[in-house]
Structures are given as structure tokens and as C-alpha cells.
Amino acid sequence: MANPVLKVLGSEPIVPKKPPVDPATLRHKELLGGAFWQKIPAYREVSEEQFLDHNWQAKHTITKVPKLMEAISGLVSPGFFEDAEAGFKRAPMSVRVSPYLLSLINWDDPYNDPLRIQFIPVGSRLSPDHPKLDLDSLHEQEDAPVPGLTHRYADKALFLPLNTCPVYCRFCTRSYAVGIDTEEVEKVSLKVSEERWRRAYEYIASRPELEDIVISGGDAYQLRAAQLEEIGEALLAMPNVRRMRFATKGPAVMPQKILTDTAWVDALTRIVDKGRKLHKEVVLHTHFNHPAEITAITEAAMDKLMERGVTVRNQSVLQRGVNDSPETMTLLVKRLGHVNVHPYYVYVHDLVKGVEDLRTTVDTAIYIEKHVRGSTAGFNTPVFVVDAPGGGGKRDVHSYEYYDRESGIS
């Protein structure tokens, strides 16, 4: 067989400068598929049609510790059950875990699984809280002219229309308000309220410098389609608002909603399309932290959003034992790019109550960023930032004026 030569008609042969890449090394393209959920005893008889139904996912989302233990009965030891119960007693966030997420955890090694670490606390791994910790570590309430609206940056505001999420992350910076009260925290109420929303709209409209609005919560996934569209229409009608971001953890923990909740996706699409016609940007911001959170189901959901013209960006949190290695973070970044999600930020973990075991150092972020940069295109490379405690705002990890690597003070 003749030796293959890259050749352009009428020119000299093209000689490759690099050896061909082994396809087996392109791990970012390897997405989990098949009926992986059936390894969980509670879901052994669940069909693909059921599992892809967002209503089934929502109905079977686990919100009680005993139900969690029942779902994974036989997969872990009684000692793990006791450890998890102790963890939730000391946690600022209540339990809320989707069947999809539960199915992605490696129950053969739950203590070291990066998804278990993020959502299911165990008492034996908890560390004492940082002495400088504040429940509202970013002081969002201090910058709130009306409840549920934070105006810190000159041209941007954060609107929190509700206080629930499809799952509850251990490391949430809004544990002061998100979810139900726990043994550790009595929550500030940010429930859906027409009056509270009206006051937020009035404030935004009254400030001509406000051009960029983030709609979070809680989580925009939990808004009904009509509510999502109401918020979008209200903000697009304001001449000063030029950019809008709907923030949701949903694609990482329940991508089924994008595939089967037609009303919600149609509402988002209409707002995106109307924004484009008004020359205003409407995008979706999401939150993947580990490459194992991205599956074939995720890809199908992101394909649907891309077909609808919806831009999706990602904001990760750097966490010990989850994504604090160059290899894991690089794989996450490349896998996000593979499913058309733009890596936007990687945050150094905030000072959050009950999760000191997850926090890493600024030095770790600097080290990982150096390895990630250059692994893919610049527009698909995230910025590693510190959201400064006390409401200081986001700072590039490299931008410190002083940093003591021994004490951690910067």
C-alpha cells in the first residue's frame, strides 16, 4: 500500500510536523451513555423514557436523608449511612439530590467520589469553620437596596427571584437563603413574591447605569415557564438593560428538563430571540464542576440549546478532592467545549459555613491555571478568580498585590 501523503494539487507534499494523536487519549469526547442509572437499586426497573422525563426526575428527587439511604441501600455500609446523617446535622444546606445525580456517583468508593463530595456531607470529613467565616460571606444582603436584589458593581445587578434549586450544593454561598431551614441555619426568606419582584423591577428601571442583570436564586430552572418569560419581558422592556443572564445548576444535575420540558425551553428561546431582535444579549449561565457530570444526556440537552441559538457559559468552583488537579480541570474544560459550553470562570472556594474541607488555596488556583492555559482555545479557557470576602468583587487570582503562601493571606 502506498504511503499516504498530504498533498495539494500542483504543490509540494505537506509533511506533518507532529505525530498523529492516539484517539484513545481524547478522553473529553468519551461521554457516559446507556442505562447507567439502573445500577442503583431504586432505579433498576426505570426505563429510558422515564429517566429522561423531567417530571419523573423532579418527583423522585430525594429531599430526606432516610429516602437517600433507602435509594442506595445495599451499595454502601451502615457506617456510611451514620456518617451521612451526622454530616447533614451539621450542614447549612438541606438534602436535595436528583436521581440523575445519584446515578453518577461511584458508590463503590463514595468517600472519594467527586460528586458525592459536593452534595452529600459526611461527618467524618468535616473540618472546623474558618475563623473569618460569615454566613453571607460575599455580603450580598448589605448591597441589597430591596430584598433579593444585589447592586454591587456599577453596571450590574443580581436578581434572586426565588430560593429553591433542583439540587442543593454543600458549598452554596447563599446558604443564608436557599432551601429550607436546617439545624444550623434559619434562612432569610426569598420566596416568589409579586411585590418583591415589582420592587426589584422598579429599582433596576430607576438606575440608568444598570445594563447587566443576572437572574439567579435559588435557580432559574425552578421558575415556571410563565415566570421565566415574565422576568425576561420585564427586563427587556427597560431601555437601560443590555445584557441578561439566567443562572442555573440545572444542566449539570438534571439535563432532562431541557430535553422534555418543552414549555420552559420555548419560553427561554422566545426571550433569547426577542433579545437578539432588540440587540440585547440573553444567555444561560450554568455550573459544572467535574467532567463526570457531563454525559451523553448532557450533550443532547446542550445540542438542543445550540439549535435554539442559546449561548451557554459555565462557572465552576475549585474544590479539594473534586477538581483541584490540572488533569481533572483540563478534562472538564475540554469536555465543556466539546458540548458547546463556554468555560467562563473558575472560582477559588468562598468562605462558606460547614465546608472548610472543600476549600483550596489561591496558590492551587494559580498552579492549575498555568496548566489549563494553552490546552485549548483562549475563548474556551476560563479565568480563575477570587470573589473577595466581604463584597470585594471578583479578582483574577494572579492580580494580588501581596500573597503569603504560608499564612494564605493575600
Side-chain angles (χ1 to χ4, degrees), residues 206-333:
S206 73
R207 302 300 293 255
E209 73 273 24
L210 281 179
E211 299 182 351
D212 192 339
I213 309 298
V214 179
I215 303 99
S216 185
D219 193 300
Y221 233 44
Q222 301 299 92
L223 292 167
R224 295 194 302 273
Q227 293 172 326
L228 186 80
E229 199 154 11
E230 175 193 329
I231 292 170
E233 290 281 359
L235 295 174
L236 286 176
M238 300 178 193
N240 54 307
V241 175
R242 307 293 304 166
R243 295 173 296 280
M244 195 187 313
R245 317 177 213 169
F246 287 99
T248 173
K249 179 80 173 173
V253 297
M254 200 187 291
Q256 291 88 344
K257 183 178 180 74
I258 293 168
L259 295 174
T260 57
D261 190 346
T262 303
W264 193 91
V265 176
D266 284 351
L268 176 64
T269 304
R270 285 192 292 271
I271 295 303
V272 170
D273 288 346
K274 184 169 184 176
R276 188 178 296 114
K277 290 182 175 65
L278 293 172
H279 308 143
K280 297 184 178 189
E281 183 183 62
V282 181
V283 302
L284 194 71
H285 275 208
T286 191
H287 184 187
F288 292 93
N289 285 325
H290 191 273
E293 297 168 9
I294 303 173
T295 68
I297 299 174
T298 317
E299 184 176 38
M302 296 304 97
D303 285 350
K304 183 172 182 178
L305 292 181
M306 189 175 197
E307 290 167 9
R308 297 293 189 96
V310 180
T311 297
V312 185
R313 302 188 190 119
N314 188 71
Q315 300 179 200
S316 299
V317 176
L318 188 62
Q319 300 170 79
R320 184 183 291 119
V322 174
N323 55 18
D324 61 334
S325 72
E327 296 77 17
T328 300
M329 186 58 74
T330 300
L331 181 57
L332 171 63
V333 167

Side-chain angles (χ1 to χ4, degrees), residues 71-354:
I72 57 174
S73 177
L75 296 180
V76 294
S77 67
F80 179 84
F81 288 161
E82 295 169 7
D83 212 356
E85 286 180 328
F88 276 112
K89 284 181 180 178
R90 294 169 56 187
M93 296 297 291
S94 53
V95 60
R96 191 176 181 91
V97 181
S98 67
Y100 173 76
L101 176 60
L102 199 71
S103 302
L104 295 179
I105 294 173
N106 176 14
W107 293 107
D108 291 333
D109 187 16
Y111 278 100
N112 295 310
D113 183 83
L115 278 69
R116 193 287 303 165
I117 289 171
Q118 295 179 69
F119 301 98
I120 302 173
V122 288
S124 63
R125 298 291 175 93
L126 299 182
S127 301
D129 286 337
H130 192 282
K132 294 290 186 182
L133 179 144
D134 186 345
L135 186 60
D136 181 7
S137 61
L138 302 180
H139 290 203
E140 291 180 342
Q141 294 178 89
E142 289 185 13
D143 287 327
V146 300
L149 183 76
T150 296
H151 183 186
R152 173 171 301 146
Y153 301 100
D155 67 347
K156 184 177 80 173
L158 169 68
F159 178 36
L160 309 175
L162 77 173
N163 63 351
T164 59
C165 304
V167 303
Y168 292 143
C169 309
R170 289 181 57 207
F171 49 89
C172 182
T173 56
R174 295 196 188 106
S175 56
Y176 67 86
V178 171
I180 62 174
D181 293 348
T182 69
E183 292 187 29
E184 292 292 319
V185 179
E186 184 177 343
K187 310 284 182 170
V188 172
S189 178
L190 291 179
K191 294 179 181 179
V192 171
S193 162
E194 288 185 12
E195 173 61 19
R196 188 170 65 79
W197 288 16
R198 183 188 61 77
R199 293 179 64 195
Y201 297 152
E202 288 178 352
Y203 179 85
I204 294 168
S206 73
R207 302 300 293 255
E209 73 273 24
L210 281 179
E211 299 182 351
D212 192 339
I213 309 298
V214 179
I215 303 99
S216 185
D219 193 300
Y221 233 44
Q222 301 299 92
L223 292 167
R224 295 194 302 273
Q227 293 172 326
L228 186 80
E229 199 154 11
E230 175 193 329
I231 292 170
E233 290 281 359
L235 295 174
L236 286 176
M238 300 178 193
N240 54 307
V241 175
R242 307 293 304 166
R243 295 173 296 280
M244 195 187 313
R245 317 177 213 169
F246 287 99
T248 173
K249 179 80 173 173
V253 297
M254 200 187 291
Q256 291 88 344
K257 183 178 180 74
I258 293 168
L259 295 174
T260 57
D261 190 346
T262 303
W264 193 91
V265 176
D266 284 351
L268 176 64
T269 304
R270 285 192 292 271
I271 295 303
V272 170
D273 288 346
K274 184 169 184 176
R276 188 178 296 114
K277 290 182 175 65
L278 293 172
H279 308 143
K280 297 184 178 189
E281 183 183 62
V282 181
V283 302
L284 194 71
H285 275 208
T286 191
H287 184 187
F288 292 93
N289 285 325
H290 191 273
E293 297 168 9
I294 303 173
T295 68
I297 299 174
T298 317
E299 184 176 38
M302 296 304 97
D303 285 350
K304 183 172 182 178
L305 292 181
M306 189 175 197
E307 290 167 9
R308 297 293 189 96
V310 180
T311 297
V312 185
R313 302 188 190 119
N314 188 71
Q315 300 179 200
S316 299
V317 176
L318 188 62
Q319 300 170 79
R320 184 183 291 119
V322 174
N323 55 18
D324 61 334
S325 72
E327 296 77 17
T328 300
M329 186 58 74
T330 300
L331 181 57
L332 171 63
V333 167
K334 289 183 71 66
R335 191 164 285 175
L336 286 167
H338 181 66
V339 297
N340 295 308
V341 175
H342 289 276
Y344 174 38
Y345 276 149
V346 174
Y347 290 88
V348 172
H349 202 301
D350 295 314
L351 292 169
V352 176
K353 186 177 177 63

